[in-house]
Amino acid sequence: MRRSLFLIIGLCPLPLAAFAGDPGLNGRWRLEAAQSSKLDGWTGVDLVIAADGPKVVLRYDMSWRQTKVSAVNRVDTWHPVSISNFFRIDQRHMAVYAQSGQPARVQAEWIDGGRTLRVEAEVTVEVSQGNQVMRLYDEFRLLEGGGELELIELHSTRNRPLVYFFARVADASPTTP
Amino acid sequence: MKALLTAIFVALLPAAGLRAAPAAPVRAACVMHFDGDWRVAGGLPEKAMLIGLQGLANRGAPRFYIVQAPSYQWEITGPLCDFYRSAYGVAFTEVASADQALSLFGRYVRGYVVWDRNAPTSLNVAFTIAGLEDALVVDDELIPLAERHGLRRIEDLRGRYTGKTDAQITSDARDRYWARCNHDSIILMGGQSGPIRVPGMADWGVQGRMFFENLSADPGHPDELALERRFMADLNPNGTIFGWHPYGKDTEEEHTTLLSTYGLKMEGLQSLPNLSFNSQFTFTPGFRFTNNHTIARDAHPVAGRKAYLSFIQSDGVGLGVWTKPGRGRIPLAWGAIMSWVKYSPAALEYFHESATPKDYFIGGLSGPAYMYPNHIPAARFGPLMHEARDLMAVLDERIFEIMDNSAADGNVGNADLTKETVDRYYREFPDVIGFVNGYGPARTRDLRDGRPMISYDYYVDPGRPREEVAADLDELIALNPIRPYFCLVHVRETNDVNSLIEAIGSLHGPVEVVPLDRFMRLAAGAKTYVTRYQHPDDPKHFTAFDATPKKAP
């Protein structure tokens, strides 16, 4: 598969951006709560993106009150991966719990000329009736000007999208929200 | 707003069948209306003086009642005043000023104690002294008023605590006064700190000669925590902490966890007014609670292929939703404050009489008062729950609510019960038809002897847009595909019922909102939920206290 892909890259004059993310996505982004879907529970969200070719590290630095949670999803735009502790920004007032013992199958892809990272995951969650699989569809979009990031999240179980806006954090800012 | 509340109350009277004529002989009392200014540099000093005076005046008889501003956290003071008039025959005389209040009640006061605005914690010391010495609590500006009424200075705290920490001030006060104070209860005069303080419960503490403090239970404040432990260890068994934790220093979870390890009860909030008055009434002659049960306790209804929702408001029935528009449009269960059988019978009777057929009362919270059961010492669990059972019997309640946020952080996080705790509840409450657990969502669930224990699957944040509430509920229904699905929803006290009804109306698929007792009986017959208890590996957000108190109470 990878060999074929290299062959295609070699033969076709496709822009490199089709296979790599815009470097403008890298860095620390902070949730702009007022513009975003209402988030219950969490009061601080930082998203740190580090893309190196097909390898993309998505780190979430989350906080509410005295609680700080840091979680990392490592995705690969060339291969599906299995992530044992897949993290999603959850609504804390719903009895829907992450299941660390159930790896999530995760696919990622650069689209829109590398300005959008698409991540699809099948995540097992614990609810009242036991474990259920939730299919997630995320797009991390670099917005015009490069100073804002939009995360659109769809759930196979939810009839409304969740839309979060983030602002780029200057290097001097603290590392946790 | 005041007009609106009055209109609501008046509208409720005929519907609820409230008596128009007094049921008891006329009794005289005074009433004073407060404004909403609780600034230390504004209205607090005079209010503190009057509330302390209220505690002294109400020793022996209910003489002095205070109606708070419409913006006050406890919205029932006005309607309850009217209820005293209509149901108890109380003839209230309006008190227009502090000067007039002192003229009326000065005979219950022996002198005055001066607190120091520059050391606000000295107000707690002054309240303690007020109870012990029958003293009026004044700041320096109110001294001339006290002296005009012939009062002499008993103690002057100005300067005594300058530059001292809360731990130092409270330790000094403990050395001076604690031995003479009531050891069945204490006043935790927490709540707001800084420029605003709301010591609404001070009348109760002064009347009962209780010790006032605002110590932190945060392990990051070791001096205060150690001192708080000493007070809790000194309290008599079955003791009560009245008031509320200090917002600026620790969390509700920390303080409630701590007192629970001593088997003590929490009666909040520190802003709760008029207990010195309310506690002196019994129920009106012939009154008996009859809850709005909708199903026989041994009924076996068959659940349909749908999602069943049931709603509960547990934050204290006197807070918020009760007086807001929309109550009565959907079945709603209310966590009545059971201990008000002892402390505020008229308030409970008022709620009962103004309840609509869709209002249903349940027992709790966790015991005869607010506590965290995972931390109650085994030896204290039985006696505490015996007290709770007795209160539930008076209130005709069949469902018991439990909350343990000792491992949570605020309204979210781990709110689950250990299997040992669940075992204890099933053992101690053989007559309930079901248990509710949580505040925010939780995942403790069980079914024994046809009696379910169900945790909240959803918590309605008052600030959450209703279209998102609907999407959240639709998602929970989608994530729980087996029918019937039983979804218990906690409604925070500041929610608006009408907007909640709109959200429910937009849900997709077969959904039915049912009264809580029916919900429990349906859930007893169709166990589509998974039995689960708190697991040692579940994330915990607070674990700082030992499970065992330093000194066994």
Side-chain angles (χ1 to χ4, degrees):
Chain A
M1 170 64 184
R2 182 183 287 187
R3 222 170 138 179
S4 306
L5 195 59
F6 279 130
L7 190 61
I8 292 167
I9 292 169
L11 294 176
C12 302
L14 288 175
L16 186 60
F19 306 101
D22 188 319
L25 274 159
N26 287 340
R28 177 174 288 275
W29 302 88
R30 185 155 297 161
L31 181 73
E32 297 188 301
Q35 298 176 42
S36 303
S37 297
K38 181 76 164 60
L39 185 57
D40 271 4
W42 300 112
T43 51
V45 181
D46 267 17
L47 171 63
V48 184
I49 299 178
D52 181 10
K55 310 282 189 191
V56 185
V57 178
L58 300 164
R59 188 174 121 204
Y60 297 87
D61 290 332
M62 314 287 291
S63 63
W64 92 80
R65 290 175 46 131
Q66 300 176 45
T67 299
K68 310 278 185 224
V69 173
S70 200
V72 173
N73 293 336
R74 297 176 193 279
V75 301
D76 189 320
T77 57
W78 283 5
H79 306 283
V81 294
S82 179
I83 300 178
S84 60
N85 289 297
F86 184 85
F87 184 83
R88 67 185 177 89
I89 302 173
D90 56 345
Q91 302 292 334
R92 302 292 296 179
H93 293 154
M94 297 172 70
V96 180
Y97 299 88
Q99 279 293 289
S100 59
Q102 303 283 331
R105 178 180 164 79
V106 183
Q107 289 182 290
E109 186 179 8
W110 290 112
I111 58 176
D112 301 336
R115 291 180 67 84
T116 299
L117 176 67
R118 180 167 66 197
V119 176
E120 293 179 77
E122 291 179 0
V123 182
T124 301
V125 293
E126 182 190 338
V127 293
S128 169
Q129 295 183 346
N131 289 349
Q132 301 291 339
V133 174
M134 173 195 286
R135 189 168 50 77
L136 258 65
Y137 178 96
D138 285 346
E139 286 195 7
F140 299 82
R141 296 178 179 174
L142 184 64
L143 298 186
E144 185 69 27
E148 279 189 301
L149 179 78
E150 180 184 22
L151 166 58
I152 300 173
E153 180 165 307
L154 302 176
H155 298 177
S156 56
T157 49
R158 189 177 185 87
N159 52 26
R160 284 175 64 88
L162 296 161
V163 182
Y164 302 111
F165 289 92
F166 295 80
R168 183 181 294 284
V169 178
D171 291 343
S173 295
T175 55
T176 53
Chain B
M1 179 62 180
K2 187 175 176 184
L4 178 63
L5 290 179
T6 304
I8 293 162
F9 182 72
V10 169
L12 285 171
L13 290 178
L18 293 190
R19 282 143 288 203
V26 171
R27 173 205 297 260
C30 292
V31 62
M32 191 164 188
H33 285 76
F34 275 10
D35 62 24
D37 180 7
W38 293 90
R39 290 173 300 138
V40 176
L44 174 70
E46 184 177 280
K47 288 186 176 66
M49 179 187 75
L50 289 165
I51 295 170
L53 176 65
Q54 181 190 25
L56 297 174
N58 285 339
R59 278 189 185 151
R63 301 182 177 96
F64 190 16
Y65 186 87
I66 293 170
V67 173
Q68 299 289 346
S71 59
Y72 198 72
Q73 189 173 21
W74 296 89
E75 299 175 358
I76 63 163
T77 57
L80 188 55
C81 184
D82 292 338
F83 190 63
Y84 277 120
R85 284 192 183 98
S86 64
Y88 288 79
V90 178
F92 284 106
T93 301
E94 184 73 30
V95 178
S97 67
D99 188 54
Q100 187 187 356
L102 276 170
S103 297
L104 287 164
F105 302 117
R107 63 183 183 279
Y108 302 107
V109 182
R110 290 197 310 111
Y112 67 85
V113 53
V114 189
W115 65 285
D116 188 347
R117 279 198 210 195
N118 297 317
T121 300
S122 69
L123 179 58
N124 286 337
V125 184
F127 279 132
T128 302
I129 295 167
L132 295 176
E133 304 291 348
D134 302 348
L136 192 70
V137 173
V138 298
D139 70 346
D140 46 7
E141 292 181 7
L142 290 166
I143 292 173
L145 175 65
E147 294 187 340
R148 273 206 309 279
H149 285 270
L151 299 175
R152 63 180 177 81
R153 183 171 305 179
I154 293 175
E155 284 207 52
D156 189 345
L157 306 181
R158 286 175 294 177
R160 182 193 285 181
Y161 297 123
T162 303
K164 297 279 200 301
T165 65
D166 285 356
Q168 290 168 328
I169 294 169
T170 310
S171 181
D172 175 81
R174 178 186 163 90
D175 292 343
R176 293 172 188 260
Y177 311 112
W178 172 236
R180 295 168 55 205
C181 288
N182 185 333
H183 276 45
D184 289 323
S185 46
I186 206 166
I187 293 279
L188 180 60
M189 191 47 79
Q192 295 86 344
S193 58
I196 289 177
R197 305 224 167 187
V198 188
M201 206 188 238
D203 63 311
W204 179 239
V206 169
Q207 183 191 46
R209 299 179 176 85
M210 298 176 205
F211 190 92
F212 286 66
E213 48 97 347
N214 68 334
L215 294 168
S216 168
D218 185 337
H221 304 139
D223 292 349
E224 293 194 38
L225 175 57
L227 195 52
E228 186 70 337
R229 281 185 178 279
R230 290 178 66 195
F231 281 112
M232 290 184 178
D234 281 355
L235 280 175
N236 295 328
N238 206 33
T240 302
I241 309 289
F242 288 97
W244 202 237
H245 77 99
Y247 292 138
K249 296 197 287 189
D250 66 4
T251 66
E252 174 183 338
E253 295 76 37
E254 288 168 341
H255 227 116
T256 312
T257 303
L258 182 66
L259 66 90
S260 298
T261 67
Y262 290 84
L264 301 172
K265 297 171 284 189
M266 166 61 85
E267 292 285 357
L269 302 167
Q270 100 292 339
S271 58
L272 179 63
N274 294 317
L275 276 189
S276 65
F277 186 92
N278 296 340
S279 61
Q280 299 190 59
F281 287 82
T282 58
F283 299 119
T284 55
F287 173 79
R288 184 169 162 271
F289 281 95
T290 48
N291 213 344
N292 290 319
H293 304 297
T294 63
I295 192 168
R297 59 168 67 240
D298 57 352
H300 293 89
V302 178
R305 293 183 56 78
K306 61 175 81 169
Y308 290 96
L309 305 182
S310 197
F311 295 89
I312 300 174
Q313 199 285 96
S314 74
D315 285 298
V317 72
L319 295 168
V321 186
W322 190 269
T323 51
K324 287 189 167 59
R327 183 171 60 86
R329 291 185 63 198
I330 55 169
L332 191 54
W334 301 85
I337 303 175
M338 298 197 304
S339 61
W340 283 8
V341 169
K342 294 181 285 185
Y343 305 126
S344 283
L348 285 178
E349 188 171 334
Y350 156 69
F351 287 122
H352 177 276
E353 295 287 86
S354 57
T356 74
K358 292 189 175 176
D359 295 319
Y360 186 68
F361 296 108
I362 61 173
L365 193 56
S366 304
Y370 181 33
M371 47 206 318
Y372 291 160
N374 285 340
H375 294 269
I376 297 174
R380 291 292 312 142
F381 199 88
L384 284 162
M385 300 311 149
H386 186 282
E387 186 182 348
R389 283 197 308 274
D390 288 348
L391 294 169
M392 286 182 75
V394 172
L395 296 168
D396 189 26
E397 293 170 343
R398 295 179 182 170
I399 294 170
F400 193 67
E401 187 186 23
I402 305 159
M403 168 182 172
D404 190 318
N405 270 3
S406 58
D409 187 4
N411 295 336
V412 291
N414 187 333
D416 285 302
L417 306 176
T418 64
K419 181 177 182 300
E420 184 182 14
T421 299
V422 173
D423 291 346
R424 288 176 178 173
Y425 276 115
Y426 273 103
R427 192 165 56 240
E428 293 294 337
F429 290 88
D431 295 328
V432 303
I433 63 169
F435 298 95
V436 170
N437 177 62
Y439 186 90
R443 45 183 166 171
T444 300
R445 293 174 293 269
D446 206 340
L447 175 65
R448 301 184 192 179
D449 310 323
R451 300 181 300 138
M453 178 177 286
I454 310 273
S455 289
Y456 290 114
D457 259 11
Y458 190 63
Y459 167 91
V460 186
D461 187 312
R464 190 153 183 79
R466 300 294 108 157
E467 60 271 23
E468 293 293 351
V469 170
D472 293 344
L473 289 171
D474 267 334
E475 182 162 32
L476 282 166
I477 292 167
L479 280 166
N480 288 275
I482 305 168
R483 298 291 173 265
Y485 163 49
F486 297 102
C487 181
L488 201 52
V489 179
H490 186 204
V491 181
R492 183 74 191 264
E493 84 274 16
T494 45
N495 270 284
D496 163 39
V497 176
N498 283 333
S499 69
L500 196 59
I501 292 168
E502 287 174 24
I504 297 164
S506 64
L507 296 181
H508 298 86
V511 173
E512 184 178 353
V513 177
V514 290
L516 184 61
D517 58 341
R518 185 168 184 80
F519 179 93
M520 285 293 178
R521 291 309 300 153
L522 287 165
K527 188 175 181 297
T528 55
Y529 41 94
V530 174
T531 297
R532 195 191 195 283
Y533 313 108
Q534 187 184 74
H535 190 276
D537 295 335
D538 291 343
K540 287 191 171 70
H541 306 288
F542 179 71
T543 55
F545 296 138
D546 297 335
T548 314
K550 298 288 186 208
K551 174 186 164 189

